[in-house]
Amino acid sequence: MERAKIVVTGGAGFIGSHAVVELYAAGYQPIIIDDFSNSKESVLRGIQEILEVEVPYYNIDCGDETALRDVFTQEKDIQGIIHFAAFKAVGESVQKPLAYYRNNVGSLMTLLKVMPDFGIENFVFSSSCTVYGIPDQLPVTEDTPTKPATSPYGNTKKICEDILTDVAKATTSLRTILLRYFNPIGAHPSAKIGELPLGVPQNLVPFITQTAAGIREKLTIYGNTYDTPDGTNIRDYIYVVDLAKAHVVAVQRLLEKKGEVVEVFNVGTGRGNTVLEVVHAFEKSTGVNLNYVIGPPRTGDVPAIYADVTKATNELGFQTTSSLEEALASAWKWQQTLTN
């Protein structure tokens, strides 16, 4: 039986590469589009080694309409798109807002313009819990009101959600699922693909693993006076392989024409962990002690956020299966392949 073709934009990125692996394992034919502006071509080798097959890929920018049309013409009969491709550094977005709006919003608009000409209706969007801002109540559900973003990056996610909702209402040729991620961590159990931060890591876990590996002198924990059990920020940390599997389930739902034309799902574990809990879980799961210090809180940091995952469980049939310790151990295993 021929595999249904699913385009994965940003398919060489952290989450995208894991989604490619899980799509193939589930019987789909992923097709990678990536311009490697925020990833490395070596990731393709890792994917190939895991799957023992070469996945088609195109080195193009999703905002390039002509190049997109060429890919869709060449591949034929594409059944759906998972759109990961985006700039993603919150701090950088504050410094370079125009670049973020042009890339993140512009690429989506180009895709939506080209898709109908090739009969592509199914679209999974990589959104973010940043759309909830600083929530009034925890955990957040899909009905929790969205709030003004604290960064241009977060605002691009909200704008893209609005664009997809408006286009889906205006046409009969788009079905979309918006997946609002919480905090993806970890690496593939093979340690052949994982998170590849460019420069100084913006996220907690790569900073932890780089500190453990001696690349960073120390880990700074930003603030310990929040209204949380130990004073440090609370986040919902989801293992990246679990997150990748959520995309497979979403694609299946779209292809089977289940659900509404536009659906929103939180993708997290349903549990919150403080930064210090993550640090101690890493030390416990790896046997490596971390050099960390407490620093001042960062402007714009949300004190606490974690997901209510009831809707994803009941309607998508999706639940995470990996523990925080397992995810952190996989991140450490991956880090060791980078430094050895």
Side-chain angles (χ1 to χ4, degrees), residues 89-301:
V90 171
E92 183 184 60
S93 77
V94 175
Q95 304 299 321
K96 302 177 180 178
L98 277 180
Y100 272 68
Y101 287 113
R102 182 171 57 244
N103 186 67
N104 295 10
V105 179
S107 64
L108 173 68
M109 292 175 68
T110 304
L111 280 164
L112 290 175
K113 179 182 178 183
V114 172
M115 283 168 57
D117 295 343
F118 294 88
I120 306 169
E121 297 184 349
N122 302 305
F123 197 89
V124 178
F125 180 63
S126 166
S127 193
S128 166
C129 65
T130 56
V131 300
Y132 296 119
I134 300 176
D136 296 322
Q137 286 185 300
L138 291 172
V140 293
T141 74
E142 290 80 359
D143 295 324
T144 296
T146 58
K147 292 191 174 183
T150 56
S151 70
Y153 162 76
N155 203 28
T156 65
K157 292 298 184 184
K158 182 64 175 70
I159 290 169
C160 287
E161 283 197 4
D162 290 343
I163 290 170
L164 283 161
T165 302
D166 289 343
V167 172
K169 287 177 182 174
T171 178
T172 57
S173 63
L174 178 67
R175 295 177 60 81
T176 186
I177 289 180
L178 314 175
L179 296 182
R180 291 175 177 166
Y181 312 158
F182 284 70
N183 288 61
I185 61 169
H188 192 268
S190 67
K192 294 186 183 297
I193 55 174
E195 191 165 4
L196 271 174
L198 302 180
V200 179
Q202 300 290 315
N203 297 330
L204 174 63
V205 172
F207 215 111
I208 285 175
T209 59
Q210 288 193 8
T211 303
I215 298 168
R216 307 288 161 195
E217 180 191 352
K218 61 181 183 288
L219 167 71
T220 300
I221 295 173
Y222 294 103
N224 66 344
T225 57
Y226 291 103
D227 185 16
T228 64
D230 59 28
T232 62
N233 300 92
I234 290 176
R235 296 290 183 269
D236 187 335
Y237 296 93
I238 177 171
Y239 182 36
V240 67
V241 175
D242 283 339
L243 177 56
K245 289 175 179 175
H247 293 79
V248 177
V249 177
V251 165
Q252 181 119 15
R253 185 175 177 86
L254 289 172
L255 294 184
E256 292 175 354
K257 300 289 190 283
K258 291 181 180 176
E260 303 296 323
V261 174
V262 180
E263 293 189 294
V264 179
F265 293 97
N266 286 337
V267 188
T269 65
R271 298 182 304 277
N273 289 101
T274 68
V275 175
L276 275 175
E277 284 173 344
V278 174
V279 167
H280 297 322
F282 177 84
E283 292 178 327
K284 180 182 174 183
S285 64
T286 64
V288 180
N289 290 324
L290 283 171
N291 179 25
Y292 65 88
V293 296
I294 305 296
R298 286 186 301 193
T299 304
D301 263 358

Side-chain angles (χ1 to χ4, degrees), residues 78-95:
I78 293 165
Q79 296 298 302
I81 295 174
I82 304 178
H83 185 42
F84 293 104
F87 293 159
K88 62 178 185 178
V90 171
E92 183 184 60
S93 77
V94 175
Q95 304 299 321

Side-chain angles (χ1 to χ4, degrees), residues 38-51:
N38 202 25
S39 58
K40 295 180 180 178
E41 290 198 51
S42 60
V43 174
L44 300 175
R45 288 198 301 276
I47 293 171
Q48 185 175 344
E49 287 174 14
I50 293 167
L51 297 177

